[in-house]
Amino acid sequence: MFEPKLNRSALSFIESEAADCLTKINRGVEKESLRVTADGYLSKKSHPTEWGSALTNKYITTDYSEALPELITPVTQERLGPRKWLDEIHRYITQYMDDEVLWVGSMPCIMTKEEDVPLADYGTSNVGMMKHIYRRGLGYRYGRYMQTIAGVHYNFSLPEEFWPKYREFCGSEEGLQDFISNQYLGLIRNYLRYCWLLPYLFGASPAICKSFTKGEGGAFLTEEADGTMYGDYATSLRMSDLGYQNNAQSKFSIRHNNLEEYTAELERAIRTPDQFYQELGVKVDGEYRQLNANLLQIENEYYAKIRPKRTINSGERPTQALNRRGVEYVEVRSLDLNPFDPLGISQAQIDFLDVFILFCLLQESKEQSDRENAENDENFRRVVYYGRKPELNLLRNNRSLPLKDASLQIFEEMRPVAVLLDKCNHTRAYTKALSEAIEMANDPSKTFSGLYYDDIKRSGQGYFGYTMGLSVKTQQELLSKAVEPRTQEMFAREAEKSILEQQVIEDSETLSFEEYLEQYFAE
C-alpha cells in the first residue's frame, strides 16, 4: 500500500521558525526543443551566430544535436522567475530562426536517416571536442534518433539559511554538508517512490510519428493511416523503451542511500569495460567514436529520473564535485514538454513540483533496496505505457493498489505542504495546482496525455500534422511580442561575450586531446 506520511511536526517547525525560507526556494529550468523546417523535417542548419557559443553561453546551448537547442534560466528565488526568463529567452531566439520553428512535442518530427541528425558542435578546444565526441558515442551506442527526444528539467533547492535551522530541529550531529546531502538523498528516495505521478499528470507523448519507430513499434502501439503510432493508454512514450534507454545500465545498480555509495557506483560504471562498446571501438581510423568503451562514457550518460547535483568547477567531474562539496540541489528529469504552453512548462506545473519536492523531503525516507527499486521501476513503466487505462493497478510491498487510490492518498498528504506554501507566498496557486492534479487523478482524460491524445485524434491530422500546426501557432505567438531593448541588449551581449570566451579557451590549449582525456578521467 502507498502510505506516505508527512512529518507534520517538521512542517510546523518550518511554519514557526523558517517560513521565510519558503519564499526563497531556488529554482531553475532547462528546456530542450527541436528546430524543424517549414515542412516539418529536422533542421540541418548550424547553431545561429546570434545565439552565441553553445559551449559558453549561459542561457542558450545545445543538447545532443545542433538542431536541439537547450534554454537555461538563471537560478531565481522568484516563484514566477523561471517562466519570465524562459519567455525572454524564447522571444530572443525566435527572431533568428528564419523559416524554422521550435517543435512543441517531446517526440520528434519527421525523421529520415540516422546520419541526418547533426551532432552538436562546440569548437576545437579539448572541452568542446569532448562534448562532441561524447555525443558521437551516444549515437553509436543507442542511435541518433533517441537523442532527438526533448524534455524539461527542473532544478530545486532550499536556501542555505534553511539547513542549520532544520538540522537543529532534527537533532542531527552530522556536519552541515553531510546533513544537507543526506536530506537531499532522502528526498530523492521518496521522489523515486512516487515519481510515477509525473508522467501520469504531465506526460505528453502518447503518440509518435511512424518515421521515428522505423516501422518497428512495440506491441502496445496501434498504427493508423495518418502515419501515427498511438499508445492508447500511454502517457509518456518519451520515458518508455522507445525513448530514453540504456540497456547496459542493467549491469549496475544506482542507489541513493548515501553519497559515497552513489558516487562509487557511478565511478565504477565509467571505469568498467563493456564488450559491445569495445567492439564498436574507441578510436577507429584516427577518429574517436566514443570517449571510452565503458558502461558509461561519463556520469551524464546515466539516464536518471532525478539527480543530486553540485555546480562543477572547470575540469571537474560531477562525482568529484559531489564528493568534495556535497549535494547542492536536485534536478528533476521526468518532464515531457508541455505542448499546450509556449514555454514548454506551465506555472501550475512548477507550483505542483514545489509542493511535491518539498513533500518528498518532509517525510521519513527508508533506505532503498534492489527489490524496492525494481518495484518503483515497474510502477513507472506501467504508468508510462498504460497510465490512463481504467483500473490500472500499481505495486507497493508486493501488494496491488489502484493508481487512482494511490494518487489520492499522496495528494491528501501533500495538501498541508501546499497550504503552507500558499500562506508563506501570499497566494492560492499551490493549492490550486494540487486541486488540478486531483481532478486529473479522478479523470485520466484531463491529464496532459489524455488531452493531447484526444486533440490529435479529433484533428484528423495525426501526430505530425497536429503538432506541426501547434508548433507554428506557438512560434507566431512568441514572435507577436517584441523583445524589450534592454533584454535584446543583454542576450546579444552574452552571445558576443560567449563567442570570445570560446576563442580564448581554444587559443589557450596546451594539452593534446589524449592528454586532456587522461587527466580528466584520472582517479
Side-chain angles (χ1 to χ4, degrees):
M1 297 285 285
F2 285 91
E3 296 178 348
K5 294 295 182 185
L6 178 68
N7 186 336
R8 293 173 188 263
S9 62
L11 197 67
S12 297
F13 162 77
I14 294 174
E15 182 174 9
S16 61
E17 303 295 334
D20 60 321
C21 293
L22 297 189
T23 68
K24 301 175 185 176
I25 293 171
N26 299 301
R27 305 171 180 87
V29 171
E30 301 161 26
K31 186 253 186 182
E32 307 151 355
S33 298
L34 281 177
R35 284 191 290 148
V36 303
T37 62
D39 52 359
Y41 289 85
L42 197 67
S43 172
K44 295 181 181 179
K45 292 182 179 181
S46 298
H47 195 70
T49 303
E50 294 88 351
W51 293 4
S53 163
L55 180 68
T56 52
N57 191 317
K58 61 185 178 183
Y59 304 116
I60 308 162
T61 183
T62 48
D63 191 78
Y64 177 79
S65 171
E66 285 287 279
L68 189 58
E70 181 176 355
L71 312 183
I72 303 170
T73 72
V75 177
T76 174
Q77 293 184 340
E78 296 180 31
R79 186 176 71 86
L80 306 179
R83 278 179 46 84
K84 287 181 180 177
W85 275 103
L86 271 183
D87 182 61
E88 291 180 339
I89 301 171
H90 272 91
R91 293 186 188 280
Y92 176 79
I93 69 167
T94 51
Q95 301 173 95
Y96 306 107
M97 293 183 62
D98 297 327
D99 59 345
E100 297 175 323
V101 299
L102 289 175
W103 188 252
V104 298
S106 276
M107 301 304 286
C109 52
I110 298 175
M111 303 299 287
T112 51
K113 297 178 291 187
E114 292 267 352
E115 55 267 31
D116 288 339
V117 180
L119 297 181
D121 181 6
Y122 300 97
T124 60
S125 67
N126 285 329
V127 64
M129 289 304 301
M130 182 175 175
K131 288 167 73 72
H132 179 78
I133 292 167
Y134 165 63
R135 284 154 174 78
R136 185 184 296 159
L138 294 177
Y140 274 105
R141 291 177 175 215
Y142 317 114
R144 294 192 182 189
Y145 274 18
M146 185 179 113
Q147 309 303 324
T148 61
I149 297 168
V152 177
H153 300 163
Y154 183 62
N155 300 323
F156 174 101
S157 69
L158 287 159
E160 290 183 9
E161 61 261 35
F162 170 78
W163 293 110
K165 299 176 183 178
Y166 193 58
R167 179 179 61 167
E168 183 177 355
F169 163 77
C170 293
S172 173
E173 296 183 358
E174 295 175 292
L176 187 59
Q177 178 176 308
D178 289 341
F179 175 78
I180 294 171
S181 292
N182 287 328
Q183 290 298 310
Y184 277 128
L185 291 174
L187 180 164
I188 288 171
R189 294 194 296 273
N190 282 329
Y191 174 94
L192 293 171
R193 290 169 178 126
Y194 310 130
C195 67
W196 50 265
L197 279 167
L198 298 186
Y200 175 77
L201 298 171
F202 306 135
S205 48
I208 54 177
C209 182
K210 183 182 176 182
S211 64
F212 181 83
T213 70
K214 302 178 184 177
E216 300 177 358
F220 66 97
L221 294 179
T222 57
E223 180 182 347
E224 295 199 4
D226 57 20
T228 302
M229 307 290 283
Y230 292 93
D232 288 333
Y233 299 110
T235 61
S236 177
L237 297 180
R238 167 180 172 265
M239 299 299 294
S240 74
D241 285 344
L242 291 171
Y244 290 116
Q245 55 180 308
N246 182 344
N247 293 329
Q249 291 184 13
S250 62
K251 298 178 181 179
F252 57 93
S253 176
I254 300 291
R255 290 186 285 190
H256 302 81
N257 295 329
N258 61 71
L259 193 57
E260 183 179 0
E261 177 187 46
Y262 171 79
T263 56
E265 190 62 18
L266 276 178
E267 283 282 346
R268 186 179 76 82
I270 63 174
R271 300 186 188 281
T272 301
D274 177 84
Q275 182 178 351
F276 172 66
Y277 299 154
Q278 287 178 316
E279 291 171 359
L280 287 175
V282 174
K283 196 172 184 180
V284 180
D285 297 329
E287 180 180 80
Y288 276 93
R289 287 188 172 178
Q290 50 186 339
L291 294 175
N292 54 54
N294 299 333
L295 290 172
L296 299 178
Q297 295 175 88
I298 56 176
E299 294 93 328
N300 287 353
E301 194 172 340
Y302 173 55
Y303 295 122
K305 300 176 183 73
I306 186 172
R307 286 177 180 163
K309 297 292 289 280
R310 161 62 64 174
T311 304
I312 62 174
N313 298 324
S314 177
E316 189 176 43
R317 290 189 289 108
T319 51
Q320 292 173 327
L322 285 170
N323 284 331
R324 291 165 181 166
R325 299 185 297 283
V327 182
E328 180 182 8
Y329 63 98
V330 294
E331 178 189 50
V332 171
R333 300 168 51 81
S334 307
L335 298 167
D336 286 2
L337 291 179
N338 179 348
F340 308 111
D341 191 289
L343 307 182
I345 183 171
S346 69
Q347 187 58 49
Q349 286 179 273
I350 291 175
D351 293 336
F352 178 87
L353 288 169
D354 285 350
V355 178
F356 181 58
I357 296 169
L358 191 58
F359 161 76
C360 288
L361 174 69
L362 298 177
Q363 61 174 302
E364 181 185 0
S365 185
K366 296 179 181 178
E367 290 196 348
Q368 289 172 296
S369 65
D370 289 339
R371 187 207 64 78
E372 187 195 16
N373 281 349
E375 191 171 83
N376 293 338
D377 288 344
E378 173 62 15
N379 286 335
F380 197 85
R381 187 196 70 82
R382 290 185 184 187
V383 171
V384 160
Y385 286 104
Y386 306 108
R388 287 179 290 110
K389 189 173 184 178
E391 305 306 322
L392 176 68
N393 286 336
L394 302 180
L395 298 174
R396 193 63 179 163
N397 298 326
N398 293 325
R399 297 189 178 186
S400 187
L401 180 69
L403 179 149
K404 177 180 175 180
D405 293 351
S407 302
L408 294 176
Q409 282 185 14
I410 296 169
F411 292 155
E412 191 56 35
E413 284 294 305
M414 287 172 61
R415 189 179 299 279
V417 179
V419 169
L420 181 56
L421 281 166
D422 271 350
K423 182 179 179 180
C424 294
N425 290 278
H426 306 292
T427 182
R428 295 181 180 177
Y430 292 104
T431 49
K432 185 174 185 291
L434 183 59
S435 295
E436 290 173 359
I438 291 171
E439 287 184 28
M440 295 182 198
N442 285 312
D443 184 355
S445 70
K446 294 182 178 180
T447 62
F448 284 15
S449 59
L451 294 170
Y452 201 23
Y453 180 91
D454 289 344
D455 284 352
I456 294 170
K457 287 279 192 177
R458 275 195 299 267
S459 75
Q461 299 174 296
Y463 172 71
F464 167 74
Y466 177 76
T467 305
M468 186 69 198
L470 196 57
S471 300
V472 171
K473 180 182 176 182
T474 299
Q475 192 89 338
Q476 291 171 344
E477 181 180 340
L478 290 169
L479 287 168
S480 66
K481 181 182 175 183
V483 182
E484 292 184 7
R486 64 165 188 83
T487 304
Q488 178 75 21
E489 182 184 354
M490 177 183 66
F491 288 129
R493 189 168 57 245
E494 173 63 23
E496 182 179 352
K497 174 171 165 280
S498 69
I499 292 171
L500 292 174
E501 286 176 348
Q502 177 178 326
Q503 189 63 54
V504 168
I505 294 170
E506 291 173 353
D507 291 344
S508 62
E509 293 287 12
T510 57
L511 299 175
S512 70
F513 185 66
E514 288 76 11
E515 291 171 327
Y516 176 83
L517 273 190
E518 182 179 355
Q519 190 175 100
Y520 182 83
F521 286 113
E523 295 191 52

